[in-house]
Amino acid sequence: MWGKRAKVVVADYAVVIAAALVVALLVGGALTYTTQIEPGTETEQRTVSEWRSVGGYTHSSTIQTENRVFDVGETLEDRSLYYTQLGPELDGQFRYGFEAPNGELTLETTTTLVIRSVSEGDDGNTEELWRIEEPLGTTSETVAPGELATTSFTVNVTEVLADIEGVREDLGASPGETSVSVVSAVEATGTAAGGEATDEATYTLTLAPGSDTYSVSGPSGKTEPHPRTETVTVEQSYGPVRSVLGPLLVVLSLVGLAGIAVGRHRGAFEVTDTERRSLSFAAERKEFDQWISRGAVSTAADDKPRVRIDNLEDLVDIAIDTDARVIEDVGKHRYYVLGESLCYEFEPPGEVDLRGLAE
């Protein structure tokens, strides 16, 4: 039955199917050509070399006041917390260098003490209320890979506290939140890893001064990569789905077109009126399947008056109205509804094979 339906579809829509196959053939050919034969090119950025900058701080404080814990002259190094009364001066060093197979960089480094007060508005943005900057040191040096240029500085925390208090007295107010930091700005130019190299970077060491202690935080050896790229033209690549899809569409389209041509030439898709009536009845039979039961009607039904019905749909309506079932008797090639006093009967077209419908 499915073979007959397929034959009817091909017979009725051969031109449409052929047109669709031609479109699929063209699409498959285009995909095959652009994927396998002429994929085209594209540009991409490719990393050819890389160098790394290294920058950070070291710091220490020397004990200047007699106490029971530390000796005078003892140096405390790279701590997160120092003692204002015992060692008010923070001695620091900012170091900058680079890592690369070869090259040379000329460095200009400026280190500045920045004291400022900021206020955060309702919109979340910060506003600087005042700022004091004090130069701590500059360095101009040329370094090779692995070497570090060093800028030394000293911050007296007691003096910083006095400066903050002096500003507040001058302003007659102490608005905002005060912050203290050491800022090192680096400008590097030269060559590294076989090409020109430049870097402009800023590093910050944060201080939180207090009358008893002060804390220090900042990078000790921050590394930043500096890749060098170039634009290259490469052949476009496609995934496995597209690589297979193009040839597959071409093959299937050609097979389909050849099948339609051969079939029409041999008359394989010619559909007779009998086949169409058979398929039409099969569709109707399937539509009313829930009202039909298969069985055998006994000869006892022959004693009842017969009412011949012209089509299956009307017979199903009678079954519904009489609260009965339609009986499909394959052996007699008929459909029945058995009433109390009448037997309703429908006989399909003679060419319809009920056994085929039952499969």
Side-chain angles (χ1 to χ4, degrees):
M1 189 63 68
W2 283 107
K4 292 181 179 180
R5 291 193 180 99
K7 185 169 70 170
V8 171
V9 171
V10 175
D12 293 344
Y13 300 100
V15 175
V16 176
I17 295 173
L21 289 173
V22 169
V23 172
L25 177 62
L26 295 175
V27 172
L31 288 175
T32 302
Y33 181 80
T34 56
T35 304
Q36 308 290 345
I37 302 174
E38 191 62 40
T41 60
E42 62 182 353
T43 59
E44 65 179 27
Q45 296 293 318
R46 179 176 298 173
T47 300
V48 294
S49 63
E50 182 180 88
W51 64 279
R52 293 176 175 270
S53 60
V54 181
Y57 295 91
T58 61
H59 45 80
S60 62
S61 177
T62 301
I63 301 299
Q64 301 178 7
T65 305
E66 291 282 353
N67 64 91
R68 299 180 182 180
V69 179
F70 304 105
D71 296 330
V72 174
E74 182 178 350
T75 300
L76 309 180
E77 296 182 347
D78 295 323
R79 294 197 173 194
S80 60
L81 189 72
Y82 296 99
Y83 302 96
T84 306
Q85 301 299 323
L86 302 183
E89 291 185 344
L90 179 71
D91 297 317
Q93 291 181 324
F94 171 72
R95 294 186 172 95
Y96 181 94
F98 74 105
E99 299 173 352
N102 51 62
E104 185 178 77
L105 291 182
T106 298
L107 311 178
E108 299 289 339
T109 306
T110 301
T111 299
T112 306
L113 175 66
V114 178
I115 307 173
R116 66 182 191 137
S117 180
V118 297
S119 175
E120 183 174 340
D122 296 335
D123 56 0
N125 295 325
T126 58
E127 178 185 6
E128 185 174 272
L129 303 178
W130 56 265
R131 169 189 286 255
I132 298 176
E133 293 188 1
E134 177 184 339
L136 295 179
T138 60
T139 300
S140 179
E141 189 174 344
T142 299
V143 296
E147 296 179 347
L148 295 174
T150 302
T151 302
S152 300
F153 59 88
T154 299
V155 177
N156 189 308
V157 176
T158 303
E159 293 179 358
V160 169
L161 292 172
D163 288 339
I164 294 173
E165 186 61 31
V167 171
R168 291 173 176 172
E169 291 178 358
D170 292 343
L171 297 176
S174 56
E177 182 176 348
T178 304
S179 66
V180 180
S181 58
V182 175
V183 179
S184 299
V186 179
E187 292 185 6
T189 59
T191 60
E196 293 185 359
T198 61
D199 185 26
E200 292 186 4
T202 300
Y203 297 81
T204 301
L205 184 70
T206 301
L207 282 73
S211 58
D212 298 323
T213 60
Y214 57 95
S215 60
V216 183
S217 61
S220 59
K222 182 180 178 182
T223 302
E224 288 289 340
H226 299 269
R228 182 177 297 104
T229 61
E230 66 178 9
T231 302
V232 295
T233 301
V234 297
E235 186 177 274
Q236 283 186 317
S237 60
Y238 302 95
V241 174
R242 174 164 173 166
S243 299
V244 173
L245 182 60
L248 183 62
L249 283 176
V250 171
V251 172
L252 293 179
S253 301
L254 290 175
V255 170
L257 289 170
I260 291 176
V262 173
R264 286 175 66 88
H265 178 71
R266 295 179 177 179
F269 302 128
E270 293 181 3
V271 182
T272 65
D273 292 340
T274 298
E275 289 175 322
R276 290 186 183 275
R277 285 193 295 270
S278 179
L279 289 172
S280 177
F281 180 76
E284 186 178 32
R285 170 64 179 78
K286 183 178 182 181
E287 179 182 357
F288 299 119
D289 185 68
Q290 61 177 323
W291 303 104
I292 299 173
S293 298
R294 295 183 178 89
V297 178
S298 68
T299 56
D302 295 338
D303 297 334
K304 296 183 179 181
R306 298 292 180 96
V307 180
R308 289 189 176 276
I309 306 302
D310 292 335
N311 57 71
L312 182 61
E313 182 178 2
D314 289 342
L315 188 66
V316 171
D317 288 341
I318 291 172
I320 294 172
D321 293 340
T322 60
D323 196 22
R325 298 284 297 176
V326 175
I327 306 301
E328 178 186 38
D329 193 324
V330 178
K332 295 181 178 180
H333 199 73
R334 287 180 175 84
Y335 291 82
Y336 299 92
V337 172
L338 302 177
E340 292 182 1
S341 58
L342 296 175
C343 178
Y344 301 92
E345 179 184 62
F346 165 68
E347 184 177 1
E351 62 271 12
V352 174
D353 184 2
L354 295 184
R355 289 169 298 178
L357 296 177
E359 293 176 355

